[in-house]
Amino acid sequence: MLRLIAPIFLLVVSNIFMTFAWYGHLKYRSSVLWLVIIVSWGIAFFEYCFQVPANRIGYGVYNAVQLKTIQEIITLVVFSFFSVLYLKEQFRWNYLVGFCFIVLAVFFIFKKW
């Protein structure tokens, strides 16, 4: 059971770091680009500290395509919260519809055919 949940937990933490590394600087558009790049790389280091173990632990329980699919769904959920709570952007109905189509893709990827 732990081998099923641990990769997902690690991917959530990884994606939180990734989202801040990739998009956190958008709140600070007046900061110089070279500094933003260095700070983003520093944050991304912690992303990798969780991403690599997540994939190592998860591979074997999940195949590579399943791991990537889990990661993408987590990314969408984390980014949705991030964009609303941190960037103060509005979550629109068409985003939800698009995400539902992606969740449908999860069904096809995880279904035993």
Side-chain angles (χ1 to χ4, degrees):
M1 182 66 165
L2 184 61
R3 285 184 49 97
L4 289 172
I5 297 171
I8 294 170
F9 171 77
L10 292 169
L11 287 172
V12 168
V13 175
S14 168
N15 272 276
I16 291 169
F17 282 110
M18 178 194 75
T19 302
F20 274 96
W22 288 14
Y23 302 102
H25 60 88
L26 296 178
K27 256 183 129 168
Y28 307 99
R29 297 194 36 98
S30 62
S31 298
V32 293
L33 187 57
W34 66 266
L35 181 59
V36 168
I37 292 169
I38 291 170
V39 170
S40 292
W41 270 65
I43 296 169
F45 168 77
F46 294 102
E47 173 206 347
Y48 277 82
C49 288
F50 289 93
Q51 179 77 16
V52 171
N55 288 327
R56 278 280 178 107
I57 294 167
Y59 191 67
V61 176
Y62 306 103
N63 65 40
V65 173
Q66 290 172 329
L67 275 171
K68 182 61 179 172
T69 304
I70 292 167
Q71 187 265 330
E72 292 300 332
I73 293 297
I74 291 169
T75 297
L76 287 174
V77 171
V78 168
F79 184 78
S80 295
F81 281 104
F82 175 85
S83 66
V84 170
L85 299 174
Y86 185 78
L87 295 177
K88 307 295 186 208
E89 293 185 353
Q90 187 177 14
F91 191 82
R92 300 178 182 201
W93 70 268
N94 56 319
Y95 302 165
L96 182 61
V97 171
F99 292 168
C100 286
F101 282 116
I102 294 170
V103 171
L104 188 59
V106 172
F107 167 77
F108 284 104
I109 289 170
F110 278 87
K111 174 88 170 112
K112 303 284 187 213
W113 297 97

